[in-house]
Amino acid sequence: MKLTEQQIADYDRDGYLILKGLISPEEVALLQRDAEMLRTPRRGHPDANVIEKDGTSIRAAWAIEIDSAACAAAYRIPRVLEPVKQLLGEGVYLYQSRLNYKVAGKGDVFQWHQDYTSWHMDGMPHGGHRDMLTVLVMLDDTKTENGPLRFLPGSHHEGMIDPVYDTWTTSYPLHIVPDPRVESLVARRGIVECTGPAGTVVIFCGNLVHGSTENRSDRDRRNLYFAYSRGDNRPVPGGPRRKHSNNYIMNPHPHALEVVDDRALLAAATA
Ligand SMILES: O=C(O)CCC(=O)C(=O)O
């Protein structure tokens, strides 16, 4: 699948693109099946998971493709990888992956932040919207009440914003955009919610300011995230690195990606 010129222009202007119906209900069912497996000790690498501050609910699973055949296919099928290559070039590699669970009634807030802030602190030299981006796959029907991802459209044009290190709001310390800056961005640019049926895909760039509220509803809101980088954008050797509490935050095998068969995700049913 190829993005149109208009879609590329929209991405360049807004920093994101919403593609409804990209993943079929059958494929979503397989990803949901693996999402359930990943949150149990059946997962090959349970130490890649993060718990909410209530001490029991799962918040996130990192490096999902290493234990889930469906996830390992999802980020390389042509419907997903071809648009990414249009935006970042042929040599793209997978930089990071995660599944955020936003469990019904428990899923906690993600404060306003830019992903590139953390990636920069791990030595990534370039984080413009044609350098690094993330593909989000919705695994549940997502509405305002179950804590959708929210964007400040066009905020990537601000570049990397000096962050505040927030260690207190959630179970997961995060470099966040300071409140006064968020308020001024919201006043100028407004807020867009990423709502849609399960199977909706959203492409958003590493510098886009985003966050989400708690999930106070009785329905989970699971999102898969695959972060990609341009091939020649690699962590600076000997450059800065954060001290990670989780060993699965950066893909240790960053190689140029080739598309797999478009039916590869469905084939994961037998894996
Ligand atoms: O899943 C969410 O609601 C927020 C995700 C996010 O911003 C992140 O994982 O960095």
Side-chain angles (χ1 to χ4, degrees):
M1 186 202 118
K2 292 272 191 243
L3 298 175
T4 64
E5 289 299 315
Q6 185 58 55
Q7 286 174 313
I8 293 174
D10 290 348
Y11 172 81
D12 287 341
R13 185 192 60 227
D14 300 330
Y16 72 93
L17 211 48
I18 299 183
L19 305 167
K20 290 214 165 129
L22 208 67
I23 306 296
S24 72
E26 294 77 19
E27 292 171 322
V28 168
L30 291 169
L31 291 165
Q32 289 171 338
R33 180 196 70 177
D34 280 9
E36 287 316 294
M37 174 275 293
L38 286 165
R39 63 191 286 177
T40 72
R42 282 192 290 134
R43 155 156 219 195
H45 301 80
D47 55 329
N49 292 356
V50 179
I51 302 298
E52 293 281 15
K53 65 173 182 247
D54 69 6
T56 54
S57 333
I58 183 153
R59 178 176 173 89
W62 290 97
I64 47 189
E65 74 288 352
I66 61 178
D67 291 322
S68 153
C71 292
Y75 75 94
R76 292 178 294 158
I77 55 174
R79 276 165 284 158
V80 170
L81 188 52
E82 278 172 3
V84 172
K85 287 192 173 196
Q86 274 180 281
L87 295 170
L88 300 188
E90 265 306 311
V92 289
Y93 65 91
L94 183 72
Y95 174 72
Q96 173 185 95
S97 73
R98 59 194 184 281
L99 197 173
N100 288 347
Y101 283 83
K102 276 271 174 178
V103 172
K106 295 184 174 163
D108 208 353
V109 65
F110 279 82
Q111 313 91 303
W112 292 108
H113 67 284
Q114 296 170 299
D115 288 339
Y116 179 62
T117 310
S118 304
W119 301 341
H120 175 70
M121 290 174 182
D122 282 333
M124 289 300 283
H126 304 290
H129 70 290
R130 294 300 193 103
D131 299 312
M132 298 189 80
L133 60 74
T134 297
V135 168
L136 177 177
V137 181
M138 294 182 194
L139 297 192
D140 296 296
D141 295 342
T142 304
K143 301 191 172 151
T144 300
E145 25 327 337
N146 60 345
L149 194 66
R150 305 195 304 163
F151 295 142
L152 304 187
S155 52
H156 61 301
H157 295 300
E158 311 277 319
M160 203 183 92
I161 298 169
D162 279 344
V164 169
Y165 192 45
D166 178 352
T167 55
W168 56 88
T169 303
T170 71
S171 58
Y172 202 78
L174 191 62
H175 289 89
I176 66 168
V177 177
D179 288 347
R181 195 69 187 267
V182 171
E183 281 154 26
S184 112
L185 281 167
V186 171
R188 275 188 290 137
R189 302 186 180 276
I191 297 177
V192 167
E193 283 191 334
C194 292
T195 53
T200 300
V201 165
V202 183
I203 300 176
F204 65 100
C205 66
N207 258 343
L208 192 69
V209 178
H210 62 282
S212 61
T213 53
E214 292 109 332
N215 181 359
R216 296 190 193 281
S217 79
D218 56 5
R219 287 182 307 106
D220 291 348
R221 190 241 60 190
R222 292 164 294 181
N223 279 349
L224 290 180
Y225 297 93
F226 297 108
Y228 302 80
S229 173
R230 224 179 59 207
D232 57 356
N233 188 35
R234 304 268 168 171
V236 177
R241 299 284 184 276
R242 287 176 300 159
K243 191 171 174 309
H244 292 154
S245 53
N246 185 302
N247 290 326
Y248 299 89
I249 287 179
M250 281 164 74
N251 176 6
H253 307 294
H255 58 267
L257 297 173
E258 297 296 336
V259 292
V260 294
D261 191 283
D262 204 49
R263 290 157 302 184
L265 212 174
L266 281 180
T270 52

